[in-house]
């Protein structure tokens, strides 16, 4: 006998637009089996509020949540991404597996409360502090996945290949020793995790060559080939063109800019997510859009690190796909990432409504829908849509929140993104189960208690 739970939403954003009186049927596995608009409630459980599809957070380094706010003392006149990176290396040297899991769990509770129902975890912390692999090479990956399972957040786990300290296979530094692997090492971790989570609808395993500066060309090709042999549709993520210095170093090494080089040397398609891609020429912007890869944008982290601004308007005009991520977790929130994605453009161009267009003039709706679609593609999971066959990942907004009173249609999303500072998110369902009710996660007190113990030890 198939067990189905029926929910009734007064208003919902479906795959084909806004609808009223929506019946959503969910099976025991957590998949949506049916959606009907303009119907009657019957015996269905009512959902009080405005129902949106859940958002994927397409770029996360979970352990960095614990250092958010600890790197805001200037390192001198040259303080930038590279000086921040040295502080991060010092921080990561002392973390143990229990601490990694506790930090990830705290972060994932925060993500769920903020409206994310899935995360792409770009996981490059693999080894013991001295660089020696754990007896189980996948130990820290397992801890991060365990945190996702405990909290109920869907996860696309992306073990990261990090091999070199710079373009051309330069020797890695002491601060990178916990990250280092070769192709066989990273494929071994991936194989173990795939065996553990085969058939789990809430765990997807992909791969992340860290960057062109950390993965030599032959290793990049071999890693992609190995992942494709195991799972031809697996997500592939890579950091790229985040910093001007990175672009200059890539030019010196290869004669090409990072995105230009990648698109010319790899079969980049809709499996790929290019993280940051901040510094692009017009030609690179058009080529990236045409590739169907997702641009993984992290506006709060990019602002915090002084990275620069992505060429949003021409990328959207060219039909490019994008999603959002909280990256270093200096901030964790769908609203703030989308808001600053637009505000950065407004400040640099001294104009309003940069993301809006004639087909959908609502800036909030344009950004939200783009991030929903691109995020789902980047995690390689059936999320981000309220339709049969998708995961039951739902976010419920409080209709009576001051920022939303009287709003209808796309104006709801404009107000959700741009109005007020307290979140109107009331309930969150991930994988067919309510994870957040009335703004609280069921396990947040216990998770927070463990996190406090970790932070007390780390900051002692």
């Amino acid at each position: 006998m198939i067990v189905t739970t029926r929910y009734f939403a007064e208003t919902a954003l479906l795959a084909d637009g806004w609808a009223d009186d929506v019946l959503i049927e969910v099976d025991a596995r957590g998949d949506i089996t049916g959606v009907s608009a303009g119907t009657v409630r019957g015996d269905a459980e009512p959902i009080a509020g405005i129902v949106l599809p859940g958002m994927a957070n397409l770029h996360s380094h979970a352990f960095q949540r614990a250092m958010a706010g600890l790197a805001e003392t200037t390192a001198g006149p040259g303080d930038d991404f590279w000086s921040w990176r040295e502080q991060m290396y010092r921080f990561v040297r002392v973390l143990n597996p229990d601490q990694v899991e506790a930090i990830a769990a705290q972060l994932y509770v925060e993500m769920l409360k903020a409206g994310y129902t899935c995360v792409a975890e770009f996981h490059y912390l693999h080894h013991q502090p001295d660089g020696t692999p754990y007896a189980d090479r996948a130990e820290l990956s397992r801890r991060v996945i365990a945190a996702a399972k405990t909290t109920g957040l869907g996860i696309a786990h992306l073990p990261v290949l990090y091999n070199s300290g710079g373009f051309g296979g330069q020797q890695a530094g002491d601060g990178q020793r916990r990250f280092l692997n070769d192709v066989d090492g990273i494929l071994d971790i991936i194989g173990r995790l795939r065996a553990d989570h085969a058939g789990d609808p809430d765990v997807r395993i992909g791969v992340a060559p860290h960057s062109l500066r950390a993965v030599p060309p032959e290793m990049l090709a071999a890693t992609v080939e190995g992942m494709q042999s195991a799972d031809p549709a697996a997500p592939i993520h890579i950091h790229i063109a985040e910093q001007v210095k990175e672009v200059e170093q890539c030019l010196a090494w290869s004669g090409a800019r990072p995105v230009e080089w990648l698109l010319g040397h790899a079969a980049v398609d809709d499996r790929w997510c290019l993280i940051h891609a901040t510094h692009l020429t017009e030609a690179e912007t058009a080529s990236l859009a045409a590739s169907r890869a997702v641009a993984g944008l992290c506006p709060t982290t990019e602002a915090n690190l002084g990275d620069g601004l992505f060429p949003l308007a021409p990328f959207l005009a060219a039909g490019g796909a994008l999603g959002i991520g909280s990256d270093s977790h200096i901030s964790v929130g769908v609203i703030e990432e989308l808001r600053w994605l637009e505000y950065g453009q407004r400040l640099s161009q001294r104009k309003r409504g940069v993301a809006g267009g004639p087909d959908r003039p609502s800036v909030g709706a344009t950004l939200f829908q783009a991030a929903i679609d691109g995020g789902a593609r980047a995690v390689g999971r059936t999320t981000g849509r309220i339709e049969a066959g998708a995961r039951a990942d739902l976010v419920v907004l409080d209709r009576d929140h001051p920022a939303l009173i009287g709003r209808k249609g796309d104006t709801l999303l404009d107000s959700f993104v741009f109005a007020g500072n307290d979140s109107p998110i009331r309930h969150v369902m991930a994988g067919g189960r309510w994870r957040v009710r009335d703004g609280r996660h069921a396990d947040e007190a216990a998770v927070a208690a463990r996190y406090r113990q970790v932070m007390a030890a780390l900051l002692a």
Side-chain angles (χ1 to χ4, degrees):
M1 179 179 178
I2 299 175
V3 178
T4 300
T5 305
R6 294 151 51 88
Y7 300 95
F8 184 79
E10 293 179 0
T11 301
L13 180 60
L14 305 184
D16 57 356
W18 291 100
D20 293 328
D21 299 328
V22 178
L23 183 67
I24 304 169
E25 298 176 287
V26 180
D27 66 17
R29 187 173 181 266
D31 292 329
I32 298 174
T33 57
V35 177
S36 304
T39 186
V40 295
R41 174 187 160 188
D43 61 353
E45 177 184 325
I47 301 177
I50 300 147
V51 181
L52 306 177
M55 180 76 71
N57 184 327
L58 57 61
H59 192 59
S60 167
H61 307 300
F63 73 88
Q64 291 180 15
R65 171 64 184 88
M67 65 172 285
L70 298 178
E72 300 306 314
T73 301
T74 181
D79 192 19
D80 58 10
F81 167 84
W82 307 98
S83 57
W84 171 88
R85 189 177 73 160
E86 291 303 316
Q87 295 185 63
M88 183 268 287
Y89 288 165
R90 290 191 292 272
F91 181 82
V92 79
R93 285 174 183 155
V94 299
L95 295 175
N96 65 43
D98 288 343
Q99 292 170 333
V100 168
E101 184 173 348
I103 293 166
Q106 174 64 31
L107 171 66
Y108 293 165
V109 166
E110 294 174 7
M111 284 188 186
L112 283 160
K113 292 174 68 175
Y116 293 115
T117 53
C118 177
V119 64
E121 187 60 45
F122 198 104
H123 179 78
Y124 58 81
L125 181 59
H126 296 297
H127 306 313
Q128 299 180 63
D130 65 357
T132 304
Y134 289 95
D136 176 5
R137 296 181 69 98
E139 170 71 21
L140 294 182
S141 284
R142 295 192 200 281
R143 295 303 192 105
V144 170
I145 294 173
K149 297 295 290 183
T150 295
T151 59
L153 185 71
I155 188 169
H157 189 73
L158 310 170
V160 172
L161 174 59
Y162 199 119
N163 179 266
S164 305
F167 290 98
Q170 296 176 36
Q171 184 174 352
D174 182 64
Q176 298 161 329
R177 61 189 176 186
R178 297 196 74 174
F179 313 155
L180 302 179
N181 274 296
D182 57 19
V183 174
D184 289 342
I186 209 66
L187 292 179
D188 176 58
I189 292 172
I190 289 169
R192 295 177 188 220
L193 298 176
R194 281 175 46 79
D196 282 355
H197 298 285
D200 187 334
D202 294 317
V203 179
R204 185 69 191 273
I205 307 300
V207 69
H210 180 274
S211 58
L212 297 182
R213 67 178 187 271
V215 181
E218 65 278 7
M219 287 192 172
L220 174 64
T223 301
V224 171
E225 181 180 357
M227 186 74 256
Q228 185 167 348
S229 295
D231 180 357
I236 304 168
H237 290 214
I238 187 170
H239 288 135
I240 201 158
E242 180 179 2
Q243 291 285 326
V244 171
K245 180 179 177 180
E246 176 190 349
V247 175
E248 293 171 344
Q249 290 176 342
C250 190
L251 280 165
W253 163 66
S254 69
R257 298 168 61 88
V259 171
E260 177 188 12
W261 189 95
L262 183 67
L263 294 178
H265 290 82
V268 175
D269 56 20
D270 59 2
R271 299 169 299 162
W272 287 70
C273 181
L274 276 58
I275 304 299
H276 304 304
T278 306
H279 300 285
L280 304 178
T281 63
E282 290 184 10
E284 285 177 304
T285 301
S287 296
L288 176 56
S291 74
R292 300 192 71 243
V294 176
L297 308 181
C298 309
T300 60
T301 291
E302 289 153 5
N304 183 264
L305 297 178
D307 289 344
L309 292 169
F310 179 80
L312 180 65
F315 185 72
L316 290 176
L322 62 83
I324 56 171
S326 55
D327 194 353
S328 68
H329 316 301
I330 199 72
S331 178
V332 180
V334 170
I335 292 171
E336 191 166 9
E337 297 299 341
L338 293 176
R339 184 178 293 183
W340 279 101
L341 180 55
E342 171 71 15
Y343 279 0
Q345 306 294 318
R346 293 185 185 188
L347 288 168
S348 65
Q349 298 183 37
R350 297 186 296 281
K351 60 184 287 188
R352 301 187 74 244
V354 175
D359 294 335
R360 198 168 195 175
S362 163
V363 176
T366 297
L367 291 173
F368 184 85
Q369 192 64 58
I372 283 285
D373 293 343
R377 187 191 303 176
V379 297
R381 299 180 65 247
T382 56
T383 187
R385 299 173 77 82
I386 302 176
E387 64 181 11
R391 291 299 282 163
D393 290 355
L394 309 176
V395 173
V396 183
L397 306 184
D398 181 1
R399 186 185 295 276
D400 294 325
H401 187 279
L404 303 184
I405 291 173
R407 273 65 165 180
K408 295 182 179 180
D410 284 354
T411 304
L412 281 166
L413 294 176
D414 285 333
S415 299
F416 173 59
V417 174
F418 295 111
N421 288 316
D422 60 323
S423 173
I425 295 172
R426 186 175 179 187
H427 313 302
V428 178
M429 175 184 287
R433 293 183 58 190
W434 292 114
R435 308 297 182 175
V436 174
R437 291 293 250 174
D438 295 318
R440 291 189 61 82
H441 188 283
D443 297 323
E444 70 176 82
V447 168
R450 290 193 294 272
Y451 181 71
R452 282 194 297 272
Q453 293 174 352
V454 168
M455 293 309 298
L458 292 175
L459 300 178

